[in-house]
Amino acid sequence: MKRIAPDNLICMNDHVQTHALRIDLAYARDDNLLFGERIYRPDARLWLHRVLARIVLKAAESLHAQGFRMVLYDGLRTVEAQQAMLETERVRDNPQWLREPRLLSPPGAGGHPRAMAVDVGLETPDGRLLDMGTPFDFLAADPEPAANPAHREHPDLSPDVRQNRALLTDSMMQAAQALGTPLLPLPQEWWDFRLPKEV
């Protein structure tokens, strides 16, 4: 795994006063949807690679101008946290999540351990989450598009859900394009955006 220098990391908590952002670090809570137990320390902060942080901040500015606020659920995920996730009862009860195409990366793999993946949602200024068709962190038994309502290509989404997902995706992709940086939306999860490995 490519190591990330500490000076390449940006703490997104430091930007909530200057940008339309709310940090809701999902795995620092014991009521998270996926595992139902705390993975991070309660005082954990959300860190992103500086390149991805610039994209998120630019997207947040665009979304704010349209009357929305970005919610950040996760960024840097340590190898130890990834291992702890795989040892939870929920994952043991769903071994299909670890088969290809995997819905959970093995420790050290994927964009999160390099702070090059971010999990995001959208809400109104008064804190009402936009309907994205599933909650953040919804993992279907089958990751294929037809069976997974969190998949970006799921065929049975309401017009409102399609519009809300497009708003989030377009804002992130346009911010990346404006900064001259490639960005990859993870197909199986509407909330996941990541930098390519070569960045």
Side-chain angles (χ1 to χ4, degrees), residues 54-113:
R54 289 176 62 213
I55 293 171
V56 168
L57 293 173
K58 189 167 188 63
E61 292 170 356
S62 170
L63 288 161
H64 178 62
Q66 299 175 72
F68 300 100
R69 179 169 57 200
M70 187 178 285
V71 183
L72 305 186
Y73 294 112
D74 200 22
L76 173 66
R77 188 180 300 164
T78 66
V79 172
E80 292 79 12
Q82 282 184 305
Q83 184 62 46
M85 289 175 172
L86 300 186
E87 295 170 357
T88 59
E89 181 177 352
R90 183 96 193 277
V91 174
R92 289 195 300 270
D93 290 344
N94 290 275
Q96 73 276 7
W97 291 347
L98 306 181
R99 294 193 288 267
E100 298 298 336
R102 293 178 68 114
L103 294 177
L104 291 172
S105 297
H112 283 289

Side-chain angles (χ1 to χ4, degrees), residues 3-9:
R3 292 189 177 276
I4 303 302
D7 59 359
N8 274 334
L9 294 175

